[in-house]
Amino acid sequence: MINVLSAAARDDARSAEPDPRAVAEHVVARGSPLDLVAAPDWFSYTTFDTFDRCPRQYALRYLCRLPSDQPRPAAEFGSAAHATFEAFTRDRRRRLAAGEPSPGRADLQRFFDSAWARSPLAAEADAETWRQRAEPMLDRFWAAESVDQPQTVGEELRFRLRLPLDLDTPVAIGGFIDRVDRLPSGSVELIDYKTGRACPPEEAESSLQLSIYALACRDALHLGPPARSTLYFVEEGQRFSTERPDAALNATRTDLAYRARQIRGSDFAPTPSLRSCGWCDFTAMCPVSAH
Ligand code: SF4
């Protein structure tokens, strides 16, 4: 039986702070999460990507707010790598501003050791395997950075992109850009670090993530449209750069508004697939899981 609440019951339910488990049970019983929580007005690349893979997974994660309780060692490794590169370029900016020499390979190692000490991965049984995997990554990063000496504008740049769906419905797209460099031309390059295997170059061309970040550079951070938007696969030392001209960024705005409306109007039905369910934290409560 489909679980439907009356309009009055919806208003009562939404006025209280919802319990994530109660909302999840309502969803699993084929009720809409929007019976119990307000329609979302905040989105990010990750939320759009999750919704594309499975609307039910999106609802359980971002509307019910169920926590992830599965270990994600690859994600922890990526977090340690990101923290290392952030600390390195931040320190380089500071030193250059102070007229000091740039940090060296030993400094990069020190930043990694610090990030590793804070990582849950360091306490895992296979910690040494992961740690050894970092060494060639650090060598490649250092080799590239010591040759180019780029002028970094900032790291982990937080943005909030306002996107009115209509006169009464403002929503926002949020996120963090790993790094922005100033190019000799005066324009900027945005960089997103990736650990793991490099994607085919054409995926950078169609990357929604790069489109959102490029739009944020122009319309939220006011750095102008980036001359280059780059996926930097740090373990393989590969960079795939694309251009997002103004017309493409305007099209991205339209696309994001469409995506936000699609989510707000969704019934959050599950769309099982081996790819989606294999990375889902909610297979145990999902009756149609393909995993
Ligand atoms: S288990 Fe599969 S179908 Fe169910 S919510 Fe997760 S991704 Fe969707």
Side-chain angles (χ1 to χ4, degrees):
M1 188 180 83
I2 296 176
N3 196 346
V4 178
L5 294 188
S6 69
R10 284 185 185 203
D11 289 345
D12 286 348
R14 285 175 180 163
S15 65
E17 185 67 27
D19 170 52
R21 289 280 158 195
V23 184
E25 284 170 13
H26 183 69
V27 171
V28 171
R30 301 178 64 194
S32 169
L34 302 185
D35 291 339
L36 302 178
V37 299
D41 59 4
W42 181 91
F43 304 91
S44 68
Y45 163 69
T46 308
T47 66
F48 290 131
D49 185 53
T50 304
F51 184 84
D52 282 350
R53 277 187 272 157
C54 177
R56 175 63 55 85
Q57 185 184 146
Y58 167 89
L60 292 170
R61 165 58 46 77
Y62 295 106
L63 298 180
C64 303
R65 298 183 185 278
L66 290 180
S68 168
D69 51 9
Q70 292 186 22
R72 297 274 186 230
E76 297 296 350
F77 181 75
S79 295
H82 277 70
T84 302
F85 303 142
E86 178 189 352
F88 179 85
T89 58
R90 191 183 299 278
D91 187 49
R92 182 171 61 194
R93 284 198 294 122
R94 183 192 63 76
R95 292 195 195 200
L96 289 177
E100 299 171 7
S102 294
R105 175 66 175 84
D107 296 299
L108 182 64
Q109 187 68 48
R110 181 167 53 82
F111 293 130
F112 176 76
D113 292 345
S114 172
W116 184 255
R118 298 191 304 274
S119 172
L121 206 49
E124 295 295 321
D126 57 350
E128 193 50 32
T129 304
W130 285 100
R131 192 178 164 81
Q132 286 178 7
R133 180 169 154 176
E135 291 307 315
M137 175 183 74
L138 297 178
D139 285 340
R140 289 194 178 102
F141 184 84
W142 166 246
E145 295 293 321
S146 58
V147 169
D148 286 350
Q149 293 282 331
Q151 185 192 345
T152 299
V153 174
E155 306 81 9
E156 289 293 313
L157 292 170
R158 184 177 191 164
F159 65 85
R160 181 181 172 84
L161 193 59
R162 293 173 190 280
L163 192 71
L165 299 185
D166 55 48
L167 283 177
D168 300 322
T169 317
V171 301
I173 318 291
F176 294 84
I177 300 175
D178 288 341
R179 169 173 157 186
V180 174
D181 286 353
R182 180 73 63 192
L183 298 172
S185 65
S187 184
V188 297
E189 174 182 13
L190 73 84
I191 296 170
D192 189 67
Y193 297 126
K194 299 285 186 199
T195 47
R197 294 180 62 182
C199 69
E202 54 269 24
E203 282 188 24
E205 289 292 342
S206 60
S207 164
L208 176 64
Q209 187 177 24
L210 287 184
S211 294
I212 291 174
Y213 290 0
L215 184 65
C217 261
R218 187 189 73 173
D219 292 356
L221 299 173
H222 306 297
L223 293 167
R228 290 202 298 253
S229 301
T230 299
L231 296 180
Y232 186 174
F233 291 90
V234 286
E235 290 195 80
E236 298 182 359
Q238 294 214 52
R239 299 167 72 125
F240 299 139
S241 296
T242 70
E243 292 181 25
R244 296 290 196 272
D246 268 323
L249 297 184
N250 294 339
T252 295
R253 277 194 86 91
T254 303
D255 177 49
L256 296 179
Y258 170 81
R259 288 170 177 272
R261 286 192 191 95
Q262 187 184 32
I263 292 177
R264 289 168 62 92
S266 176
D267 63 1
F268 305 101
T271 54
S273 70
L274 287 176
R275 176 173 167 263
S276 300
C277 301
W279 289 94
C280 182
D281 289 332
F282 313 116
T283 51
M285 70 172 67
C286 181
V288 296
S289 167
H291 199 253

